[in-house]
Amino acid sequence: MFMHEMLLIFHLFILSNPTTTAEPPQNQEKISIRIDPLKHQLYLYSNSHLIKKYPIALGKQETPSPVGEYVVINKYNNWGKGFGTRWIGLSVRWGTYGIHGTNRPYSIGHNASHGCIRMHNRDVEELYEFVRVGTKISFGGHVLGKLDADPRSLAKGDSGGDVQIIQYRLRSAGFYKGECNGKFNSTTEIALKDYEKKFGLPVDGVAGYHDYIHLGLVE
């Protein structure tokens, strides 16, 4: 009972003092992270208890951050120019995405990246000590973007969860035979053109609003 009360006091102290340095727990398997794209916040949990929250930057509309459940696949100190002092790589199938520091601290709190999560260097250095390969990362949001905005148009060379959904729908309709990997390649383009031709849509190989409607992704 005494230990439970002490842990509760510790958690309340951390939450009420956002600049306080959090200490990694011994049981790393209980660590998890949740990303809130609306509030531009990263939440760090231990055994489902919130330890600390950090301000972050997310991907721009044309290069959105991934949505869904992922895990940490690698960790590096000073991974490369522009990535700050720490890199935490994520298991996103369609590209290289991670949580990292930045030499542009003014971007924190905005949608400013190519899809990665940016943090202040001091914050990502602290977070780095908590996570291990296999740590679970949950990204909130909708895979097609903000609900009050049209989904982005997709063409060859694009990538993301929205591309993956298009691939799944085209495969279910019998037009796409490739891997649903979230990469808009030539095979995806050809399948989309065949679909558009079949159903009398503009045949341009670009997933526009008319394609989203016909595929049943938007109303």
Side-chain angles (χ1 to χ4, degrees):
M1 185 68 176
F2 175 75
M3 288 299 297
H4 176 74
E5 292 176 351
M6 290 298 295
L7 285 172
L8 180 59
I9 292 172
F10 171 76
H11 290 143
L12 290 174
F13 177 74
I14 290 294
L15 291 176
S16 62
N17 295 271
T19 60
T20 302
T21 300
E23 293 295 332
Q26 293 182 351
N27 187 355
Q28 293 291 340
E29 294 181 358
K30 300 301 184 182
I31 292 295
S32 62
I33 292 171
R34 182 172 67 85
I35 305 295
D36 186 335
L38 296 179
K39 295 182 179 180
H40 291 85
Q41 294 281 336
L42 181 151
Y43 298 95
L44 176 64
Y45 293 89
S46 175
N47 197 24
S48 300
H49 294 289
L50 180 62
I51 299 176
K52 197 168 182 181
K53 58 184 178 180
Y54 303 93
I56 57 174
L58 292 142
K60 295 176 286 187
Q61 182 177 1
E62 59 271 26
T63 55
S65 297
V67 174
E69 304 288 333
Y70 305 95
V71 297
V72 173
I73 57 172
N74 54 49
K75 295 173 58 183
Y76 297 107
N77 290 329
N78 301 308
W79 191 59
K81 185 178 180 180
F83 294 97
T85 56
R86 298 290 186 274
W87 166 269
I88 301 170
L90 306 178
S91 61
V92 181
R93 297 181 63 187
W94 50 85
T96 303
Y97 292 80
I99 302 170
H100 61 80
T102 182
N103 57 3
R104 300 177 181 177
Y106 50 84
S107 67
I108 303 299
H110 304 281
N111 295 335
S113 78
H114 286 87
C116 288
I117 301 301
R118 294 179 186 172
M119 301 179 68
H120 291 294
N121 287 323
R122 63 180 181 276
D123 290 341
V124 76
E125 288 171 9
E126 182 174 282
L127 182 70
Y128 188 89
E129 299 304 317
F130 281 83
V131 302
R132 298 289 184 270
V133 171
T135 296
K136 295 180 180 180
I137 315 288
S138 174
F139 284 77
H142 194 285
V143 72
L144 296 182
K146 294 182 179 179
L147 298 179
D148 59 349
D150 292 341
R152 62 175 181 152
S153 294
L154 301 169
K156 186 178 177 180
D158 287 329
S159 61
D162 44 7
V163 175
Q164 190 176 44
I165 285 183
I166 294 290
Q167 290 172 328
Y168 277 124
R169 289 299 175 93
L170 290 173
R171 188 166 71 178
S172 295
F175 291 86
Y176 182 65
K177 306 299 182 183
E179 181 183 3
C180 297
N181 56 10
K183 299 177 181 180
F184 203 122
N185 50 24
S186 297
T187 305
T188 306
E189 182 183 49
I190 292 171
L192 182 58
K193 284 183 176 179
D194 289 343
Y195 182 90
E196 291 169 337
K197 183 177 180 179
K198 171 73 173 180
F199 293 101
L201 302 172
V203 183
D204 53 12
V206 176
Y209 195 71
H210 51 273
D211 298 292
Y212 282 104
I213 292 176
H214 203 274
L215 287 166
L217 295 173
V218 297
E219 297 180 354

